[in-house]
Amino acid sequence: MVLTSIIPLIRRGAAMAPRLAPRPTVGMARQFHGGFALRNESFFGEVTKNDETKVQETNTEQVDPSNITPATDKALQDKYMEEARAEQISAEKYISPLKRKLFDLNVAQHGFFKNHQIVRDPDADKTYKLSLTVNEIDALEPSIYLRSYRIKSSTKKATVVNRLVRGYTVKSAINQLHFNPKKMATELERLLKRGLEQARKLNYDEEQLYIHALWVGSDGNWQKRVDPKARGRTGIITHPYVHLRAVLRTDLTTKRLRWERDQAFLAAKPSSGLNTEPLNFSVRPYFRW
Amino acid sequence: MMLNRNWKSVNIFRIASRSIHHKENFRKYPKVNVKDVELEKPRYGFRKERAPLLSEGVTDTLFPSVEIRKKYIENSKPVPIKYRSRSDEIAKRNYEKYKEEVLTGSPHFRVGEKSVYFPKARICLLRPNAKHTPYQAKFLVPRNFNKMDLRDYLWHVYGLRALNVTVQLLHARFERGPDDHARYRGPQYKKMTIDMEEPFIWPELPNDIVKRAKENYDNQLAIIENKNAVGSDKLKPSEAFGGLYDKPQLSDSFIPKRTKRVGEKSLSSLKEKEESQSNNSLLESYLKL
């Protein structure tokens, strides 16, 4: 009974919080750099203006606190989503918007990314020659970075399984791992299934998704134990913990890599049976003796 | 042959026949009829039956000592020592006094002389064990409490008459911390059991409360586990409290470390540049340059 009466009060209090307090207009020099003045779309006039509409909206809403679950609590979910976005690793945080746009245009034009090509931006009515570094291409191409949880196993045991499926398409890798009796096979299968689910959400082609990279790392905090031996000696028994990391990529990467290989092949000089390198001494048309 | 026939009378020969290790002739076995053998002999009723004691004749009085004494004297027999004292009379007098005190509502004992206006002792009613009757109640009391203290306390605070008080001083258990080299004594608890006039039975706990407490415990445990996770287990989602701590899982894309470092720097410089440009343009428009 007490709870039901208190919760609306708390919520109302929370809704009041974002109301802007009147700010002094003394420190103008600071505000040139801050985004605060720009947020109100005017430099001086609306600094002290309250955001009335926002407050009214929340007050008119009739919310039954007993019906609120974490999943239906919009404020909570919004906050969590914001946090998750901040933590998410994505190309938007590291590559400039223009490069991203040009990359997308390039992909739309060729079906996959071709480096050092001329791209036309129809919005700005400009043409660019887009040259990206290998790392930039890696970041911009669609990929799924998978991180497993803590696994009680060792690097040696994990590597045996990793080598089996490295480079496989995700689906055939899952197929192989499902019938492998090793523990790490089960762990890896679990991880890849998570990746498959993410790919489905991102609308990637599941069939073409492949394991671009797969490695194992120490997960730290290994436990150690005394191993008593004869004649007053001791050994140390370590309990290793590892994690798996995988990068899944789509056929966009496969196609680009094939194209690059073809280009390299075309650009290569034709091979001749004899040595065509210049001689390593000065050649004169006369005898020196 | 002679020897065996007369073994009852001549004991020495019986002792002598101990050394005979061969099986004796069946004709010399004792002759017993099967019908005469009682297989399951009763274990009672075979003792000598005694005449009932004189004291056993008096059954219908609460304080029988006087009547028993009279009976012994009438039968000109010595009165047993336990019926010679006046304890029964005293008990009867006390009982009368107690009944009167119950009627008048006054305390049934000599009230302590030290007046305590604000008792700070913490008395805790405990759940009964299997050995307790409904007419008994058990309390956890401070260690400096004695029987009189509890009797006084219960009477003055709750108006409860403790007819009898027994003390259980529990031994101090050994305690051992995770990093301790030795074990230490924990606290000693004192409990007291009282007898009451009226029975008291603890009400059964509602089922949903027990269930909720269990759920809450499990949830808290899961959250603690989640918060104290090491290594890659920090990525593990927790479904405790109906997903209250469960953040949405966004898929990451793989970005090399170097790209991150370089990209962050270049993006921030780009942002700074843009901000300064917009500030400049705002200033120009305000000053009408």
Side-chain angles (χ1 to χ4, degrees):
Chain A
M1 291 309 293
V2 177
L3 267 179
T4 49
S5 59
I6 286 172
I7 286 168
L9 281 175
I10 293 169
R11 290 183 64 77
R12 223 167 288 141
M16 299 288 272
R19 194 196 287 233
L20 296 170
R23 290 202 179 196
T25 50
V26 186
M28 279 321 296
R30 277 201 75 222
Q31 289 183 4
F32 275 64
H33 302 286
F36 174 75
L38 306 180
R39 228 185 295 148
N40 286 340
E41 293 175 344
S42 162
F43 222 80
F44 295 108
E46 286 168 308
V47 171
T48 56
K49 200 177 179 185
N50 286 337
D51 203 353
E52 290 289 340
T53 52
K54 209 175 181 182
V55 176
Q56 277 173 5
E57 248 176 54
T58 44
N59 274 350
T60 49
E61 247 177 53
Q62 288 294 321
V63 188
D64 184 13
S66 61
N67 284 340
I68 296 174
T69 59
T72 57
D73 189 347
K74 201 174 165 293
L76 180 77
Q77 290 304 324
D78 286 352
K79 182 178 168 288
Y80 276 172
M81 188 51 99
E82 202 178 295
E83 281 178 15
R85 287 241 169 77
E87 281 169 21
Q88 190 188 19
I89 305 167
S90 64
E92 292 156 32
K93 290 176 186 171
Y94 306 105
I95 310 285
S96 71
L98 180 63
K99 266 185 193 171
R100 273 186 282 131
K101 192 183 181 187
L102 295 180
F103 178 87
D104 288 343
L105 286 170
N106 186 309
V107 169
Q109 196 181 328
H110 300 111
F112 58 92
F113 180 71
K114 283 184 182 177
N115 210 358
H116 312 301
Q117 303 292 311
I118 290 168
V119 189
R120 205 184 123 69
D121 182 7
D123 298 334
D125 202 19
K126 271 184 178 175
T127 48
Y128 298 90
K129 187 182 180 189
L130 184 60
S131 291
L132 296 177
T133 62
V134 177
N135 281 346
E136 278 172 337
I137 296 169
D138 271 351
L140 281 165
E141 263 179 351
S143 67
I144 295 172
Y145 181 37
L146 287 177
R147 288 180 286 179
S148 83
Y149 308 131
R150 195 175 171 80
I151 303 165
K152 177 79 194 71
S153 186
S154 69
T155 5
K156 212 171 180 180
K157 289 171 191 168
T159 309
V160 171
V161 178
N162 287 355
R163 288 178 61 177
L164 173 70
V165 293
R166 211 169 267 155
Y168 276 26
T169 59
V170 173
K171 282 208 165 172
S172 66
I174 288 171
N175 206 359
Q176 289 295 323
L177 293 169
H178 190 83
F179 297 101
N180 193 320
K182 287 191 177 294
K183 177 191 169 180
M184 283 311 290
T186 321
E187 296 287 347
L188 184 53
E189 188 195 345
R190 211 170 280 158
L191 181 70
L192 291 179
K193 277 182 177 169
R194 257 203 284 152
L196 210 58
E197 217 167 84
Q198 290 180 16
R200 239 167 254 156
K201 275 183 196 166
L202 293 167
N203 277 329
Y204 292 168
D205 189 359
E206 285 170 43
E207 304 296 329
Q208 303 296 333
L209 200 68
Y210 78 100
I211 303 171
H212 182 81
L214 173 61
W215 68 97
V216 59
S218 162
D219 205 40
N221 288 71
W222 286 15
Q223 290 164 11
K224 281 180 186 173
R225 205 144 61 87
V226 178
D227 183 8
K229 305 208 182 274
R231 304 193 174 215
R233 296 170 185 221
T234 53
I236 297 172
I237 300 175
T238 50
H239 288 274
Y241 285 90
V242 293
H243 56 232
L244 293 171
R245 300 283 186 256
V247 180
L248 311 182
R249 288 191 187 275
T250 58
D251 57 336
L252 241 60
T253 311
T254 336
K255 282 176 190 164
R256 173 179 62 82
L257 289 175
R258 196 178 301 140
W259 178 77
E260 277 175 1
R261 205 175 55 225
D262 291 348
Q263 292 303 304
F265 179 73
L266 288 174
K269 277 191 240 169
S271 66
S272 63
L274 298 169
N275 187 6
T276 54
E277 307 228 326
L279 295 171
N280 199 15
F281 50 88
S282 55
V283 182
R284 300 178 188 80
Y286 50 85
F287 296 112
R288 291 195 72 192
W289 63 81
Chain B
M1 304 301 111
M2 274 290 284
L3 298 179
N4 272 322
R5 220 165 270 165
N6 300 332
W7 63 271
K8 263 185 185 171
S9 52
V10 191
N11 227 349
I12 282 178
F13 292 118
R14 192 192 166 201
I15 293 163
S17 71
R18 274 183 193 167
S19 55
I20 301 170
H21 288 293
H22 62 84
K23 205 172 179 182
E24 281 184 305
N25 196 331
F26 68 91
R27 284 184 207 106
K28 287 158 209 162
Y29 283 179
K31 295 198 168 39
V32 181
N33 196 343
V34 177
K35 282 174 190 168
D36 296 341
V37 176
E38 201 178 353
L39 281 177
E40 286 177 10
K41 250 185 189 172
R43 292 181 186 180
Y44 50 89
F46 52 86
R47 287 180 202 282
K48 189 183 169 189
E49 291 274 338
R50 288 173 189 278
L53 296 173
L54 286 176
S55 58
E56 282 175 38
V58 184
T59 52
D60 51 349
T61 53
L62 195 58
F63 305 104
S65 182
V66 181
E67 281 183 43
I68 289 169
R69 207 184 305 148
K70 209 192 282 173
K71 261 196 170 179
Y72 274 99
I73 291 164
E74 275 170 10
N75 284 286
S76 60
K77 280 187 175 173
V79 181
I81 292 167
K82 63 176 170 180
Y83 300 121
R84 283 180 204 167
S85 73
R86 286 177 61 245
S87 64
D88 235 20
E89 284 168 42
I90 296 165
K92 194 174 182 181
R93 201 176 63 211
N94 282 345
Y95 180 59
E96 295 296 331
K97 190 167 155 255
Y98 166 72
K99 276 206 285 190
E100 196 189 313
E101 278 159 357
V102 168
L103 277 177
T104 55
S106 50
H108 63 288
F109 55 90
R110 197 182 138 210
V111 174
E113 283 161 13
K114 190 180 160 193
S115 43
V116 180
Y117 294 100
F118 195 68
K120 61 176 182 181
R122 191 191 58 174
I123 308 292
C124 186
L125 176 62
L126 303 172
R127 286 188 165 266
N129 293 339
K131 65 187 172 190
H132 294 124
T133 68
Y135 288 90
Q136 286 175 314
K138 202 169 194 175
F139 296 92
L140 184 68
V141 298
R143 244 177 348 179
N144 59 358
F145 246 45
N146 58 28
K147 292 177 178 182
M148 282 78 82
D149 286 336
L150 182 71
R151 191 177 61 179
D152 241 292
Y153 183 96
L154 292 175
W155 169 250
H156 286 111
V157 178
Y158 299 111
L160 176 68
R161 285 179 198 281
L163 306 186
N164 189 32
V165 185
T166 56
V167 184
Q168 295 85 42
L169 186 61
L170 273 63
H171 73 276
R173 299 182 73 87
F174 276 121
E175 283 175 358
R176 199 186 269 280
D179 300 323
D180 289 348
H181 292 297
R183 49 186 195 163
Y184 302 97
R185 289 281 189 190
Q188 241 186 332
Y189 294 110
K190 192 182 254 185
K191 293 176 182 177
M192 288 192 188
T193 313
I194 63 158
D195 287 358
M196 303 179 292
E197 299 163 300
E198 312 256 317
F200 170 73
I201 295 170
W202 273 81
E204 287 233 342
L205 270 177
N207 246 350
D208 59 327
I209 283 185
V210 177
K211 203 179 145 200
R212 217 183 305 147
K214 172 91 174 53
E215 269 175 17
N216 199 36
Y217 176 76
D218 290 346
N219 280 331
Q220 279 180 348
L221 216 63
I223 281 302
I224 288 167
E225 219 164 70
N226 191 260
K227 295 285 174 199
N228 293 342
V230 284
S232 293
D233 267 352
K234 282 173 191 161
L235 305 169
K236 223 176 203 175
S238 130
E239 283 170 14
F241 291 112
L244 184 63
Y245 290 83
D246 208 358
K247 282 183 196 172
Q249 302 268 317
L250 301 177
S251 55
D252 297 324
S253 44
F254 181 73
I255 292 170
K257 217 181 252 176
R258 194 181 137 69
T259 318
K260 272 186 192 172
R261 213 182 320 125
V262 174
E264 234 167 31
K265 215 182 275 176
S266 68
L267 262 195
S268 66
S269 70
L270 195 74
K271 216 178 196 178
E272 241 171 52
K273 210 172 161 188
E274 275 178 6
E275 209 166 76
S276 72
Q277 263 180 9
S278 73
N279 275 348
N280 282 342
S281 64
L282 266 170
L283 198 60
E284 274 170 15
S285 70
Y286 174 67
L287 297 172
K288 287 169 188 166
L289 290 173

